[in-house]
Amino acid sequence: MWGAGTIGPMEPRALLDTWLDTATNLRSSSRIEYRREVTRWLTWCEDQRPPVNPYRCGIEDIAAWAGTLLTDHLDGRPFDGPDALTHVAEHHRAAALTHDRRITAITQYYEAAKDRGAIRLAPDLTMLRSGVDRDAGTPRRLTPMERNVLLICIGMWGPDRARHYRRDRLIAYLLLEGLRPAEVARVDMRHLYDLGTGVWEVRAPDYEYEAVGKKHVLEPLTVAALIEYLPHRIKPADGVHTLITVQGGGPLDSGYPNLIIRQIAALHPLLAQRTPPVTADTIAHTGYWETPPG
């Protein structure tokens, strides 16, 4: 639950209208899609017994609503977590793409609600994404403006948005170093080197865990994120040497970088409505400073 804001909140449907009527940075097609999806969500809230307050609900409520829209694509499975989303992504790609755009619409709505004081914190809906919207071909790099906005969004991703925000920021910066999503998930602490001069190097993991690939001299932003992350790194389980660890001490799932990048990108309309979408592969192909083609 995110809680109401400090001022009297605007009625949810009125907030939707006000937001979209003044959102000059949204394309007309995005406004139509966002209005449709958020209206569906608010209607679902009103139809529950007792009704669900959209400003005081939990992520489980959004998941329950989203699941009702995927019933025909679950093939009899319950909508009970990442495995269900993986099933939809593997067998019903179009439905998964629509679902992820729906989550972006809800994310944008709650960002607008937060900006207007209706709620204190916007929900982190990362784990409600299917992750199917990875680039099928060579990703189109971000433009300089898009990259600048991405850096702002990474900076916005703080403790008010996610418990493990330090980990998420580091993932984003490692992608900007040119590491691919699967490489980010497998970066090995044994191949991370502090040169003692403020400079850090990392060897990208090869496909064999004990082998190493290209050397990356980390940019200052990545170094700062790394130094901030390390004291809060979840204690790894026995035999786990990955830099990025998750609850229980295991390694990061290779699909997570794409999920978190999609959610971070959803913070800003320029990235949220980009076609093709901003993915982890997009970031890895963009890099920090190389000027991408327009």
Side-chain angles (χ1 to χ4, degrees):
M1 299 179 69
W2 317 302
T6 56
I7 63 175
M10 187 182 300
E11 192 274 330
R13 289 182 184 270
L15 190 148
L16 173 63
D17 291 338
T18 299
W19 165 46
L20 293 180
D21 289 346
T22 58
T24 56
N25 52 1
L26 288 178
R27 296 191 296 263
S28 59
S29 59
S30 295
R31 285 197 294 271
I32 292 170
E33 182 177 18
Y34 289 4
R35 187 181 299 278
R36 180 182 68 245
E37 299 300 347
V38 176
T39 298
R40 282 177 170 176
W41 159 238
L42 297 178
T43 299
W44 182 90
C45 290
E46 294 164 355
D47 289 345
Q48 302 311 296
R49 293 294 177 268
V52 172
N53 183 339
Y55 295 154
R56 294 184 177 274
C57 64
I59 294 174
E60 65 276 8
D61 295 303
I62 298 177
W65 162 71
T68 66
L69 300 172
L70 290 174
T71 301
D72 292 342
H73 308 288
L74 289 169
D75 302 320
R77 301 168 61 99
F79 186 67
D80 55 1
D83 288 345
L85 284 171
T86 298
H87 175 84
V88 175
E90 289 178 351
H91 299 283
H92 305 281
R93 179 179 174 83
L97 288 167
T98 298
H99 168 80
D100 281 356
R101 289 197 302 270
R102 184 173 295 130
I103 296 304
T104 293
I106 299 302
T107 297
Q108 284 276 293
Y109 173 71
Y110 278 112
E111 284 297 314
K114 179 175 177 288
D115 291 343
R116 289 162 175 78
I119 58 175
R120 291 183 297 104
L121 303 174
D124 176 12
L125 305 182
T126 303
M127 299 313 295
L128 293 186
R129 292 185 176 276
S130 73
V132 72
D133 46 3
R134 298 181 66 174
D135 298 287
T138 301
R140 181 164 66 83
R141 293 171 172 173
L142 299 182
T143 65
M145 176 63 76
E146 290 170 339
R147 179 169 45 190
N148 289 342
V149 171
L150 173 70
L151 290 170
I152 292 171
C153 289
I154 295 171
M156 291 168 58
W157 195 258
D160 58 335
R161 299 187 185 278
R163 178 181 179 185
H164 297 293
Y165 68 94
R166 299 178 183 88
R167 176 194 66 192
D168 296 340
R169 284 179 180 171
L170 179 58
I171 289 170
Y173 289 132
L174 287 171
L175 289 167
L176 281 168
E177 295 284 354
L179 291 168
R180 299 298 183 259
E183 292 176 330
V184 170
R186 294 172 52 201
V187 168
D188 195 311
M189 288 289 292
R190 296 170 296 182
H191 302 305
L192 181 67
Y193 309 104
D194 178 4
L195 303 187
T197 59
V199 176
W200 288 67
E201 293 179 351
V202 65
R203 288 280 186 175
D206 207 337
Y207 288 104
E208 297 182 10
Y209 276 89
E210 296 303 320
V212 292
K214 178 182 176 182
K215 179 178 74 174
H216 294 261
V217 178
L218 300 182
E219 293 285 347
L221 277 176
T222 309
V223 171
L226 174 65
I227 291 172
E228 184 180 17
Y229 163 76
L230 285 174
H232 301 276
R233 176 176 177 249
I234 295 173
K235 182 180 178 180
D238 291 344
V240 174
H241 301 287
T242 53
L243 169 63
I244 309 293
T245 51
V246 298
Q247 205 67 33
L252 185 74
D253 183 273
S254 62
Y256 183 79
N258 195 55
L259 299 181
I260 191 59
I261 287 299
R262 293 294 293 125
Q263 191 62 16
I264 290 174
L267 297 180
H268 194 284
L270 179 68
L271 303 181
Q273 58 187 334
R274 182 182 187 265
T275 302
V278 180
T279 66
D281 290 319
T282 306
I283 306 309
H285 279 78
T286 297
Y288 265 110
W289 309 119
E290 178 187 358
T291 303

